[in-house]
Amino acid sequence: MGSQKKRPVVLTAAEREELVRVTTTGVHPASVIRRARVLLALDTSAGEVGSQDVIAARVGVSGETLRLVVKRFAETGGDVHATIARKKRDLPPVPSPVTGEVEARLIAMACSQPPQGHTRWSLRLLEKHVALAEDIPDLDHSTIGRVLKKRNCVLI
């Protein structure tokens, strides 16, 4: 197997014991158990490891999963916990358009007098007025409602 020659998985006795405990006891997500089983099957310190197809069939995963687990093990520097755990995302995929300044402007607008011809602010009316303001990004009425609810601002 090519990836075993390039990136061998060598576990200590304590790491093996920990992975066996993860796979046999307690409540762990299925993905964590699957990756732990892959690491145990790929461990070269326990003896000779079979081919990629044999290991994939024995563990019940695809060859691509084997390759990805070995790659993650090498990237984490042999850290077993970082390999089997879910990878944490550095940043949210899309930054929120609602910053502290936008939130303050929105609350100020909601607390002000409603426009002529309206007795109170509604979320849709606030949405229209936010779209007209140049220094506030366009926000959906549901986003406006979430911001106001978070700050306990009730539209009456």
Side-chain angles (χ1 to χ4, degrees), residues 112-134:
S112 68
Q113 289 294 321
Q116 192 72 26
H118 296 277
T119 56
R120 65 183 182 88
W121 285 103
S122 68
L123 294 179
R124 304 243 182 212
L125 185 60
L126 276 171
E127 179 183 15
K128 289 178 186 174
H129 280 270
V130 164
L132 296 175
E134 289 134 12

Side-chain angles (χ1 to χ4, degrees), residues 52-72:
Q52 184 174 0
D53 298 331
V54 173
I55 293 173
R58 188 174 69 211
V59 178
V61 297
S62 67
E64 181 67 9
T65 301
L66 287 177
R67 188 188 67 78
L68 290 175
V69 170
V70 170
K71 179 181 174 191
R72 180 97 185 266

Side-chain angles (χ1 to χ4, degrees), residues 31-82:
S31 59
V32 170
I33 294 171
R34 187 179 322 112
R35 287 189 289 264
R37 290 178 62 212
V38 167
L39 283 178
L40 285 170
L42 291 172
D43 183 21
T44 57
S45 65
E48 189 61 34
V49 179
S51 69
Q52 184 174 0
D53 298 331
V54 173
I55 293 173
R58 188 174 69 211
V59 178
V61 297
S62 67
E64 181 67 9
T65 301
L66 287 177
R67 188 188 67 78
L68 290 175
V69 170
V70 170
K71 179 181 174 191
R72 180 97 185 266
F73 185 75
E75 287 173 353
T76 58
D79 185 8
V80 173
H81 295 289

Side-chain angles (χ1 to χ4, degrees), residues 18-25 28 32-34 36-37 40:
E18 176 68 23
L19 290 176
V20 168
R21 192 179 59 74
V22 165
T23 58
T24 57
T25 61
H28 300 282
V32 170
I33 294 171
R34 187 179 322 112
R37 290 178 62 212
L40 285 170

Side-chain angles (χ1 to χ4, degrees), residues 4 25 28 33 44 56 63 93-94 99 106 109 113 129 133 135 142 148:
Q4 287 178 348
T25 61
H28 300 282
I33 294 171
T44 57
V94 177
T99 61
L106 188 59
M109 187 182 290
Q113 289 294 321
H129 280 270
D135 56 342
S142 60
L148 296 176

